[in-house]
Amino acid sequence: MAQAAVSEGNVLGWAKTDKRRMLHVVYRVGNLDKTIKFYTECLGMKLLRRRDIPEESYANAFLGYGPEDSHFVVELTYNYGVDKYDIGTGFGHFGIAVEDVAKTVDLVKAKGGKVTREPGPVKGGKTVIAFIEDPDGYKFELLERGPTPEPLCQVMLRVGDLDRSIKFYEKAFGMELLRKRDNPDYKYTIAMMGYGPEDKSAVLELTYNYGVMEYDKGNGYAQIAIGTDDVYKTAEAIRLCGGKITREPGPLPVINTKITACLDPDGWKSVWLLTTKILDHLRYCS
């Protein structure tokens, strides 16, 4: 028992010192060309790479504000013949930091985009925000900030037990609780989790709505990919914290990239990639 406790302590302690970074977020779209056009023209993203896999009936594209080896990016997946997905009630939004929210909203409107919240201060605060939707209905929160190295700055997911989720992401994922805010007037609480400050790195925004324990995840949003130095230790830490391993750690066929995959306590999926081989994972993550 003592030996097991020491082993557990070593694994969970290592999770906080591992060189981890949120790499990309994966979700499905119904028209790849249309979505790429919207992201590049309205949101200022760059198309980093694109690949068509006809033998497996899908195509994907990576877009973002800088190279994949240093920035958080989106991976769009199009499955042949599927033009619509159910986003569900669990996924919330992506966050993008812009220097002028009103100007960005005007551009979105000019390109035919949908604005669901006009620019203005966030409730109970001073930060100017707005909400828009992409062609598939995924929501984006525009946050007015000064220049930042990581404009694609948030992924918001809803959870059924915020304290449980915070504990899991701190211990199993080695993330830091950056801030927590309760809003009883609107009956929700949020927690920002990540590997660096919100103004310089991408973070995970976990939202708990009072009394809601479960959510419909739909079939549009897929997963977040995170870089790690050791997929085997990562998988063990996740197990120790109650997460479910859905792909045992090990190399992918042919390309030899080591990966593992897991579900958090609410069933949200993450894929972990050996950081020295992050560009070789494309086949699996699509």
Side-chain angles (χ1 to χ4, degrees):
M1 291 294 292
Q3 185 176 359
V6 170
S7 176
E8 178 176 337
N10 288 344
V11 170
L12 295 180
W14 169 84
K16 289 188 174 295
T17 61
D18 182 25
K19 294 184 179 68
R20 298 182 172 186
R21 182 174 69 84
M22 289 171 60
L23 303 174
H24 59 259
V25 60
V26 186
Y27 49 106
R28 303 173 182 95
V29 299
N31 186 317
L32 197 56
D33 290 331
K34 186 177 181 179
T35 305
I36 290 171
K37 182 177 180 180
F38 181 83
Y39 286 11
T40 54
E41 293 185 359
C42 296
L43 300 179
M45 291 187 187
K46 297 177 181 178
L47 176 60
L48 303 172
R49 57 187 169 106
R50 178 175 179 169
R51 193 166 85 157
D52 192 28
I53 317 293
E55 65 272 20
E56 296 182 25
S57 299
Y58 79 87
N60 64 6
F62 286 73
L63 295 98
Y65 295 98
E68 292 174 65
D69 60 359
S70 58
H71 288 73
F72 186 56
V73 305
V74 299
E75 179 186 345
L76 308 176
T77 298
Y78 168 68
N79 293 297
Y80 290 9
V82 183
D83 60 6
K84 188 176 181 180
Y85 290 94
D86 175 17
I87 296 176
T89 59
F91 170 78
H93 62 260
F94 304 109
I96 295 183
V98 299
E99 293 187 46
D100 190 327
V101 167
K103 184 177 180 180
T104 303
V105 165
D106 287 343
L107 177 60
V108 170
K109 288 179 178 178
K111 295 291 184 179
K114 183 177 180 181
V115 178
T116 58
R117 185 202 192 273
E118 293 291 338
V122 65
K123 293 175 181 177
K126 297 181 180 179
T127 302
V128 175
I129 67 167
F131 275 90
I132 64 171
E133 288 185 5
D134 76 359
D136 290 273
Y138 292 102
K139 291 181 173 62
F140 283 78
E141 180 181 16
L142 306 177
L143 303 100
E144 194 159 279
R145 294 179 180 173
T148 173
E150 194 69 277
L152 182 60
C153 58
Q154 292 178 3
V155 177
M156 192 276 260
L157 303 173
R158 297 182 177 94
V159 298
D161 184 329
L162 190 58
D163 290 335
R164 177 186 66 182
S165 294
I166 290 171
K167 182 179 179 181
F168 177 82
Y169 280 96
E170 283 182 324
K171 289 193 172 182
F173 280 35
M175 288 185 176
E176 178 185 354
L177 174 60
L178 303 170
R179 62 184 172 97
K180 182 179 179 181
R181 180 169 61 86
D182 187 34
N183 196 327
D185 291 341
Y186 297 96
K187 297 184 178 181
Y188 72 87
T189 308
I190 65 168
M192 297 293 193
M193 313 287 300
Y195 298 112
E198 292 178 62
D199 60 342
K200 295 181 180 179
S201 58
V203 301
L204 190 60
E205 177 180 345
L206 304 177
T207 298
Y208 167 69
N209 293 298
Y210 291 8
V212 184
M213 303 293 115
E214 294 183 1
Y215 293 93
D216 172 18
K217 293 181 179 60
N219 62 357
Y221 174 87
Q223 64 210 26
I224 289 178
I226 301 175
T228 177
D229 288 336
D230 191 322
V231 296
Y232 300 97
K233 287 184 179 179
T234 290
E236 185 59 25
I238 290 166
R239 281 197 183 93
L240 289 171
C241 294
K244 180 181 179 180
I245 299 299
T246 57
R247 183 187 178 98
E248 290 296 327
L252 285 173
V254 184
I255 58 178
N256 203 36
T257 299
K258 293 183 175 65
I259 71 166
T260 189
C262 72
L263 301 179
D264 76 356
D266 288 275
W268 293 113
K269 185 179 178 181
S270 294
V271 172
W272 295 79
L273 310 168
L274 185 65
T275 52
T276 56
K277 294 283 187 178
I278 62 172
L279 295 181
D280 291 335
H281 71 284
L282 216 159
R283 189 175 207 69
Y284 171 77
C285 285
S286 303

